[in-house]
Amino acid sequence: MHFEALPTKRLPAQFTANNEFKLLDLILSNDIIDAEDEGGKGSLVQKIKTAALNERSAPELLEYKEELVDQIKQSLRSQKQRINGPFTEFQFEEKLFTSFQQMEIDRISYLLRSYLRSRIVKIEKHHSKFVSDETYHQRLSPSEQKFAQSYTDLIKSHYRESFLQSLPDRVNSGEEDAMTARINLDEYVICRVLERIGQIELDDQTDEFAELNENDVVLIRYRPIQHLLVEGKVELL
Amino acid sequence: MSNSKVIALLQELSNSSTLPPYDEETVRETGQEINNTHSEIIQLFAETPAKERKRLGSSVVVRHHTIARNKRCILAYLKNRIDVIKQLRWELDNSIPEDVMQNFGSKEGEFLVKYDEILTQYIDDVGVDLCKDLQGPPQVLYIQARVLEDCQLPGDDQEEGRLLKKGTEHFLKRSDVEGLIRAGVLQHVI
């Protein structure tokens, strides 16, 4: 917790053990974002955290978690409204509680931003792939699709107008794609195994296997665990 | 052959911590050179009777590679500059200093404007300001900040628009003033 944020001057002199209990109750009973856990498979916060980490570490772009993003945005909005609302009594507990909540909001917003940013970084890095390849195109949200399209157009016209248009016709095309990084599915990632999986095949040519047990943390090629990540049996770190 | 020039161009870019001035001259010269090399190939073909074209092999291949290499170098130059420009847009939003802007090529200025457009469009669509918290997760809610230039306090609460005078120090909400600190208008006092 971040006590720098507290208005220490307002600390009442009679701040006793009783008050402390009251404060604790207040904090525990108002943890809205965590309380909205319906599926039972971890809270929203945990989900967006996993999503952000997975997206950051995976070499390819993963499926867009539209529902999760909408839920998080919704929760953040209602939480913000609550703490910006008028105070009934301007009491120390409420001020303190608002600080905690504001911090919580800031940190969850960070996770959401980090998630969306990692995606934009990947879209820019491999932009032409997302326009040409249907599988990847479908993983984007509608706004991301728009972004990918305009970005690809922009890059192409920039290369063309800055340089390529001055070249002879036979050599002035086809290079935009060569300038985009390829998606390397054989990159190594660090992943944590969430449930017992047993043996998985690492390489179909050499017949190598690895045993994955619950809570193992392994450094492994992305390709063999690609489907496990989609199924939610492993998470990336 | 001005191959060494192209390499020097790329080296200048990679050795520099800021964005060096756009070298339109070299880009144009390289384009010219590619054109020349290309017409040399055509000329070689035209001068050589069909039966003897086999012996042209290496001289054509070398010229083709020269073209490919020069083209690749210039595109790499353009791409890496674009990457720097994009980063500037992310970090400084719309307050890129004048002296940095002067180093942009004419097309790069246009690129920045259009990139800003599509990024802003995307940010509006998702409704989440992506340019905040670029340094890592937030650690504290309020920070002490010294005002280096007169400015107005941004933010969404009742204090919005309050004038901050140069030389004063304030205890402010970090999320509100993060942009001003990156732009160098405020200084974070640790």
Side-chain angles (χ1 to χ4, degrees), chain A residues 30 37 60 124 130 135 147 159 175 188 207 217:
Chain A
N30 279 284
D37 175 17
E60 62 168 346
E124 286 184 0
F130 292 106
T135 353
F147 179 84
Y159 286 157
E175 208 74 8
Y188 279 80
D207 282 342
V217 175

Side-chain angles (χ1 to χ4, degrees), chain A residues 2 4-5 64 73 84 98-99 102-103 106-107 109-110 112-113 116-117 120 124 141 143-144 146-147 150-151 154-155 157-159 161-164 166-168 170-173 175 178-179, chain B residues 22 27 31 34-35 38 67 71-72 74-76 78-79 82 86 90 107-108 110-111 114-115 118-119 121-122 125-126 128-130 132-134 136-142 171 173-175:
Chain A
H2 299 273
E4 297 93 320
Y64 181 61
K73 277 201 277 194
N84 280 340
T98 311
S99 289
Q102 185 61 51
M103 199 65 215
D106 280 4
R107 284 179 160 264
S109 314
Y110 167 76
L112 181 62
R113 283 189 198 118
L116 294 171
R117 260 201 307 259
I120 287 293
E124 286 184 0
S141 73
S143 355
E144 283 170 343
K146 218 160 72 183
F147 179 84
S150 345
Y151 184 76
L154 176 59
I155 287 280
S157 76
H158 181 69
Y159 286 157
E161 285 168 21
S162 303
F163 178 59
L164 290 176
S166 66
L167 303 189
R170 287 183 63 171
V171 291
N172 72 358
S173 61
E175 208 74 8
M179 292 307 293
Chain B
Y22 183 67
V27 173
I34 292 177
N35 273 308
H38 189 252
I67 291 178
K71 191 168 124 186
R72 177 87 192 182
I74 294 293
L75 286 174
L78 294 175
K79 180 181 187 299
I82 285 177
K86 283 193 306 194
W90 278 91
K107 294 284 179 291
E108 287 175 330
E110 285 171 32
F111 175 85
K114 283 187 197 142
Y115 182 70
I118 61 173
L119 186 62
Q121 174 71 50
Y122 175 72
D125 281 356
V126 289
V128 182
D129 184 1
L130 297 181
K132 278 185 176 173
D133 296 335
L134 290 170
Q139 305 283 339
V140 291
L141 204 49
Y142 289 88
F171 194 53
K173 211 187 239 178
R174 189 198 53 85
S175 54

Side-chain angles (χ1 to χ4, degrees), chain A residues 30-125:
Chain A
N30 279 284
D31 214 354
I32 305 191
I33 291 196
D34 267 343
E36 277 181 11
D37 175 17
E38 284 167 359
K41 276 193 229 149
S43 62
L44 275 182
V45 179
Q46 195 53 47
K47 279 187 198 157
I48 186 74
K49 198 167 161 186
T50 314
L53 278 173
N54 282 349
E55 196 63 71
R56 199 175 65 185
S57 308
E60 62 168 346
L61 194 90
L62 305 171
E63 202 74 46
Y64 181 61
K65 299 198 182 315
E66 188 179 359
E67 198 187 334
L68 177 62
V69 170
D70 286 347
Q71 278 175 334
I72 291 275
K73 277 201 277 194
Q74 181 59 38
S75 302
L76 285 173
R77 214 173 299 134
S78 60
Q79 191 96 323
K80 258 183 216 161
Q81 265 166 12
R82 269 168 44 90
I83 64 163
N84 280 340
F87 289 103
T88 42
E89 299 160 79
F90 225 79
Q91 278 188 346
F92 170 69
E93 284 94 338
E94 271 191 327
K95 260 261 173 182
L96 176 63
F97 174 57
T98 311
S99 289
F100 286 153
Q101 277 206 320
Q102 185 61 51
M103 199 65 215
E104 195 186 10
I105 289 176
D106 280 4
R107 284 179 160 264
I108 294 165
S109 314
Y110 167 76
L111 288 173
L112 181 62
R113 283 189 198 118
S114 165
Y115 174 68
L116 294 171
R117 260 201 307 259
S118 316
R119 296 180 63 86
I120 287 293
V121 168
K122 280 183 201 168
I123 294 171
E124 286 184 0
K125 202 166 156 196

Side-chain angles (χ1 to χ4, degrees), chain A residues 202-217:
Chain A
L202 289 182
D203 196 333
D204 40 6
Q205 269 132 43
T206 56
D207 282 342
E208 277 184 75
F209 287 88
E211 172 113 14
L212 298 181
N213 291 314
E214 198 178 335
N215 285 331
D216 281 356
V217 175

